Amino acid sequence: MSQRPARPAVRTAVVAASLAAVVLGVTAPSQAEPVSRAPKASVAAPSVSSVGGAISRTEMIQRAQYWVDEGVPYSQSRYYRDPQGRTYRTDCSGMVSMAWHLPTSATTWTLPNYSTRLGSLDDLKPGDILNNIDRHVVIFASWTDSSHTTANIMEEARTGTNARKSTYSRNYINSNGFKPYRYNKVTDAPVPDPDKGMTNVTAVGDLTGDGKNDVIAVETATGDLYRYAGPDYVGSRARVKIGNGWNSISNIVGVGDLTGDGVADIIAVDAENGNLYRYSGPNYNGGSRVKIGTKWDSMTDIAAVGDLTGDGKPDIIAVEKSTGNLYRYSGPNYSGGSRVKIGNGWNAMSTIVGVGDLTGDGVADIVAVDAENGNLYRYSGPKYNGGSRVQIGTKWGSMINITGVGDITGDKVPDLLAVEQATGKLFRYSGPDFKGGSRVQIGTHW
């Protein structure tokens, strides 16, 4: 999903306005108008459950996917069919009611009557929900990583959007009062996930000497680490396996050359112990691993931002999970003594990415996705405060694994890579604004 000293009041108004559009305790009028849409060629979920009966996790996810495939638009008053033709209200709680195959369209307030609250977010399984009874509810699909920092969700979000897949950071879930619930009649059969794609897609600079920036990524199904050669990152020649056992690693960040050997290094957090490690390129193998910090599991959205302090060493920024505060850490070791608070309220953002200088002022900028509205914003360095915030895109909540790759198009402006979560397709966006018109598909199964 900023320091924003001027943003809280504005954000409060925006939140109030947008959340007013989320169904809370609205009961469906008997004359509610059905959604009028031409049917698409989507595959209906198998009819295994009965209305109000026991239902598997697989079927719940398939039923929710049915509305995503149909592109069902959000409405508090309209209804749309499920795969068997029964209609449900097309808002956030109506989508949950449809996915659970309830006998009626429940509300955020009444969904707890059909479910049991879980003890921890870590107990979530596919088909469970995240519910703030006064605001919004979404369907949990999976975690994107082994440390459970980001959740894949399915939702009817607000007026002007369609049923969709998105991601919520753990920070966003906690700071916005979402609680985990499980349908009382769910059967705990596992949900098949044959193609888990890639995670921790990270730009690392030119490792192959061809003048184009490369990326590394972890294969979710195996934990293997792969290097992909730019500029298109596709094909057998582009992909090279360079490691294994990376499924316990989170927050992989390409930071540039920290060791002075002329090759880009990375830093990464081990989710099992919270330690921060530096890995030397070009292969980032275990023998090059050096522990440089502890308790980094308390931070999220770690992003490389180049040298902000003028000492010739790359710096990073990171968000503290418990507070939402944004901190700058100085390289090469990013120790606690170098930590400087530069912002607050950043737990509202689902993704923060260092992209290089977009404004021409010689200082690295960042882009960030607001988890609430899916908008993409640019923040100017070195402080990345609210006054520098400029909206440059919409509907970025549907994208994951966003990474800045520098200039790969030859126009001397930084570009961006992002994966469309619903399809697994990899897209390149051209800077400085990364508009939809610049979007080019360059890969699949990401």
Side-chain angles (χ1 to χ4, degrees), residues 13 76 113 126-127 141 193 240 311 319 333 349 354 369 375 389 394 398 420 423 430:
Q76 293 183 24
N113 297 337
D193 189 7
V240 177
D311 63 358
V319 177
N333 291 327
M349 312 308 287
V369 179
N375 291 340
R389 169 171 160 142
T394 60
S398 62
E420 188 174 57
T423 64
S430 296

Side-chain angles (χ1 to χ4, degrees), residues 172-195:
Y172 183 78
I173 293 167
N174 286 327
S175 63
N176 285 275
F178 287 98
K179 305 301 179 185
Y181 289 84
R182 176 166 299 157
Y183 182 42
N184 290 332
K185 295 184 179 181
V186 66
T187 59
D188 268 337
V191 178
D193 189 7
D195 184 6

Side-chain angles (χ1 to χ4, degrees), residues 199-219:
T199 189
N200 278 315
V201 179
T202 306
V204 289
D206 180 17
L207 298 178
T208 58
D210 62 358
K212 295 294 184 180
N213 289 332
D214 306 312
V215 302
I216 58 174
V218 178
E219 190 173 58

